[in-house]
Amino acid sequence: MSLDRMIENIVKMQNPTVAGLDPKLAYIPNYILAESEEKYGKTLLAAANALFEFNKGLIDELCDIVPAVKPQAAYYEMYGWEGVRVLEATIAYAKSKGMFVITDGKRNDIGATMEAYSTAHLGETEVFGEMVPAFGSDSLTVNGYLGSDGIKPLTKVCAEKDKGIFVLVKTSNKSSGELQDMVLDNGNTVYAQMGEMCEKWGEEIPGKYGYSGVGAVVGATYPAMLGELREKMPHTFFLVPGYGAQGGAADDVAPGFDKNGLGAIVNSSRGIMCAWQKEGCDEKDFAKAARREAIRMRDEIIARIGEIKL
Amino acid sequence: MSLDRMIENIVKMQNPTVAGLDPKLAYIPNYILAESEEKYGKTLLAAANALFEFNKGLIDELCDIVPAVKPQAAYYEMYGWEGVRVLEATIAYAKSKGMFVITDGKRNDIGATMEAYSTAHLGETEVFGEMVPAFGSDSLTVNGYLGSDGIKPLTKVCAEKDKGIFVLVKTSNKSSGELQDMVLDNGNTVYAQMGEMCEKWGEEIPGKYGYSGVGAVVGATYPAMLGELREKMPHTFFLVPGYGAQGGAADDVAPGFDKNGLGAIVNSSRGIMCAWQKEGCDEKDFAKAARREAIRMRDEIIARIGEIKL
């Protein structure tokens, strides 16, 4: 009914990070691409197959040290339905290895349509009287611009199925302030207002460890706002993008954590996926290079925030 | 580079409406469901196949009188990758019949990830040196909460490939005001601010008929705001949900049109898809019932706004 399973993974592994799985063909070793192309030709199926082989290699090497993965839906949709099939397969594979899965889809809609997204990504679909999971993820990122009508269908499924969501509050990109930093006539910034709404939505699905099933996305690239929101949103767990490739460092993510080292999970996508290219190691060593980078990142953040305690 | 093709369809057919394709199994005639279940069992494939048969029937009966269709991604994702395959097939089928396709995905993200969504839904994906369309739609609904970083990758593809987008401005749901109606310290409401941003983004992709490639979603359920935004956003075409099932009528959508009867396209989803159930006609007549409702809706709106002129 919340993000408790993720929190337990984080504490067990003493690692508050999530590996983003945003696979582009350019990140994938040539031997995987060549095998796929030989099997399936220059097709979307071949591309999708290469993504899955790459993801499985990463998950195998990361699953005992990294608590969660975050596949970004866009990179799968780019390869059409065959890419989306790999999104589904990646979620299932990561779950089978014990990882908590955050589908980064930033979905948003209202009423019956939001129910359909909830069913698609977190729940089960009724098919001729039988209940079948579609994507079956553990959590989903969502956009709250449409207000409660877009969130209630999700919290309902979260309560029933032990799932969670992360609502965009303050995003890591340069232009995030164009709307999010504007000041409302009640004195709140738009992002702080969205934060208040998250706290309220979370009341319906509290968790065992003080954090509800409604998390928030808050970028590492705005450390002062991360700290401000950590104070204002004591029951909301943060998913923190922007570490590494986007410029954030351990000092920048630190304000997102509470005094027990909980309260935030920091994402790295390219840093981990492309570690083999940055290292310049043998391409067959890509997953081991990802593991080395995941350990480096974990150690860097833990050195800054200390032991994580429940 | 804009929404001109859609506008030309609207004028040719004298019909400023779009048929929403949000197919739930409950809307689909029993004979289609039974055939699918017999072929494929109680599976997601059977469900997806039924959706496609239903959609094809609707498109065949609507394509000569309705200028556009709007498949809502959530209802396809609900059936997993097999549902998403039907989204792709539905887009291709509607385009083959000359309809303008608006994929209602409300996608949003930043930088490279937004590029991936643009490529997925509007552009072409590079696969082993060849360019292949993934979903290949004509336009996409998007959420602008992340600012320009989330929109520029789309306008770039729109310019190159003659496509358009619709940004959420004032949505049709009850709780849309929780954030969108709040007043900023510059005196704008959040929705009016988003509207200003749309006008600005649209400057990069102007159209032949005064409307840019950046449209806006503005609900029929708030007619006064629809009229306010029509004045404030003279270059932005509106996609108007909320007619029919959500309560909006011809009088409510009228403020969205300009003096030439242009400027808005009104969506009906359940009204058209479920017309056979409302009429109580033979279920094999479902597509003809949809056509009758589409004609009724067209005539009702045209009676209110008059002839549509370029």
Side-chain angles (χ1 to χ4, degrees), chain A residues 77-78 81 88 106-109 121 125 143 145-146 148-149 169 173-175 178 180 183 185, chain B residues 43 77-78 81 88 106-109 121 125 127 143 145-146 148-149 169 173 175 178 180 183 185:
Chain A
E77 292 179 17
M78 201 163 88
W81 65 266
E88 205 176 306
K106 299 187 175 63
R107 297 300 195 253
N108 61 109
D109 216 292
H121 294 283
T125 302
N143 186 317
Y145 186 73
L146 297 91
S148 302
D149 296 333
V169 169
N173 56 306
K174 276 191 186 150
S175 76
E178 286 175 11
Q180 297 162 25
V183 178
D185 61 3
Chain B
T43 60
E77 293 180 17
M78 202 163 85
W81 65 266
E88 205 176 305
K106 300 189 174 60
R107 297 301 195 250
N108 61 110
D109 216 291
H121 293 284
T125 301
V127 179
N143 186 315
Y145 186 73
L146 296 89
S148 302
D149 296 332
V169 169
N173 56 306
S175 75
E178 286 174 10
Q180 297 163 27
V183 178
D185 62 4

Side-chain angles (χ1 to χ4, degrees), chain A residues 42 44, chain B residues 119 123-134 161:
Chain A
K42 292 178 189 296
L44 291 169
Chain B
T119 298
E124 293 183 330
T125 301
E126 190 181 334
V127 179
F128 304 104
E130 308 200 347
M131 301 307 290
V132 186
K161 305 271 179 197

Side-chain angles (χ1 to χ4, degrees), chain A residues 131-152:
Chain A
M131 301 307 290
V132 186
F135 290 91
S137 190
D138 294 311
S139 63
L140 179 69
T141 62
V142 302
N143 186 317
Y145 186 73
L146 297 91
S148 302
D149 296 333
I151 303 295
K152 299 280 166 148

Side-chain angles (χ1 to χ4, degrees), chain A residues 1-8 100 102 138-139 162-166 205 207 209 211-216 236-238:
Chain A
M1 129 154 215
S2 64
L3 297 165
D4 291 345
R5 284 182 298 129
M6 183 187 75
I7 293 171
E8 288 159 7
F100 188 88
I102 303 167
D138 294 311
S139 63
D162 190 21
K163 307 279 171 119
I165 57 172
F166 293 93
I205 45 174
Y209 309 113
Y211 289 102
S212 80
V214 178
T236 306
F237 211 94
F238 293 165

Side-chain angles (χ1 to χ4, degrees), chain B residues 18 54 65 82 86 102 132-133 145 151 156 159 169 171 186 198 200 202 206 213 238 245 258 273 276 290:
Chain B
V18 47
F54 183 61
I65 54 162
E82 309 198 74
V86 167
I102 303 168
V132 186
Y145 186 73
I151 303 295
K156 186 167 168 284
V169 169
T171 56
N186 67 5
C198 288
K200 204 175 111 234
F238 293 164
D258 67 21
M273 282 186 299
W276 68 277

Side-chain angles (χ1 to χ4, degrees), chain A residues 36-37 39-52 79 81-83 85-86, chain B residues 127-128:
Chain A
S36 266
E37 191 182 346
K39 258 195 202 158
Y40 303 113
K42 292 178 189 296
T43 60
L44 291 169
L45 171 60
N49 182 67
L51 302 190
F52 190 46
Y79 298 98
W81 65 266
E82 309 200 74
R85 184 163 64 167
V86 167
Chain B
V127 179
F128 304 104

